[in-house]
Amino acid sequence: MGDSDETVWNAFYRQLGREALTRQAPRDDRAYYLSGQREVEAIFGRFLVPQGGSVLEIGCGDGRMTRTLATKFTRVYALDAARDVLDACQNAMQEWKYKHIQYLHGGVELLDLLPDHSVDVILSAAVFQHVHRQDTI
């Protein structure tokens, strides 16, 4: 994602809030994070997912799924390319006092910063349709 894409996502999020990230975003916090929990559990229900280790969430958004991941894993890497969105995630997770989340601002180039074999699970939902081919080359 280039700088102009990040600017667009930041503006989009500032204007629409949660609805910029998921079309059917519940308005109240409880329902919003519960929808993320249900989505994580539906994904994990299809696979044998080791819990208690570390997870990398690519495109963490404002933390809708991050909250549930933080209850299942001892280390969470929350990656997002849009600074405003990542800041919203960090603010939301501070409310629940999750200290084992590392917030990463940027794109795939940041994956090189993670030590080899440091991630047990990678989760990305509704992100890759926004990645331009030139971003991955």
Side-chain angles (χ1 to χ4, degrees):
M1 181 183 303
D3 288 339
S4 63
D5 290 333
E6 179 181 1
T7 302
V8 168
W9 273 105
N10 286 332
F12 195 41
Y13 185 74
R14 281 192 300 270
Q15 179 183 7
L16 296 176
R18 293 174 173 168
E19 291 185 16
L21 304 175
T22 181
R23 284 186 219 155
Q24 299 173 9
R27 296 207 185 273
D28 71 272
D29 282 350
R30 184 178 171 284
Y32 185 66
Y33 292 105
L34 184 59
S35 74
Q37 177 183 346
R38 287 182 183 140
E39 201 166 323
V40 167
E41 289 173 355
I43 293 167
F44 285 6
R46 300 175 139 199
F47 306 100
L48 181 59
V49 177
Q51 296 182 27
S54 62
V55 61
L56 166 64
E57 183 182 13
I58 298 175
C60 64
D62 61 359
R64 187 173 71 92
M65 297 172 120
T66 311
R67 181 178 179 198
T68 297
L69 295 173
T71 66
K72 296 181 179 298
F73 293 90
T74 56
R75 182 67 155 163
V76 177
Y77 297 99
L79 169 69
D80 206 284
R83 170 49 72 189
D84 289 357
V85 179
L86 186 65
D87 287 347
C89 178
Q90 189 169 4
N91 290 337
M93 295 309 107
Q94 285 177 351
E95 185 176 323
W96 290 287
K97 300 185 180 8
Y98 293 129
K99 305 286 188 206
H100 59 290
I101 302 173
Q102 183 176 346
Y103 303 93
L104 304 171
H105 173 238
V108 295
E109 71 281 355
L110 294 179
L111 300 181
D112 288 335
L113 300 177
L114 297 176
D116 289 347
H117 311 289
S118 63
V119 175
D120 299 306
V121 176
I122 298 173
L123 175 68
S124 185
V127 172
F128 289 111
Q129 70 269 26
H130 301 292
V131 176
H132 303 287
R133 186 162 191 263
Q134 67 268 17
D135 291 340
T136 60
I137 296 176

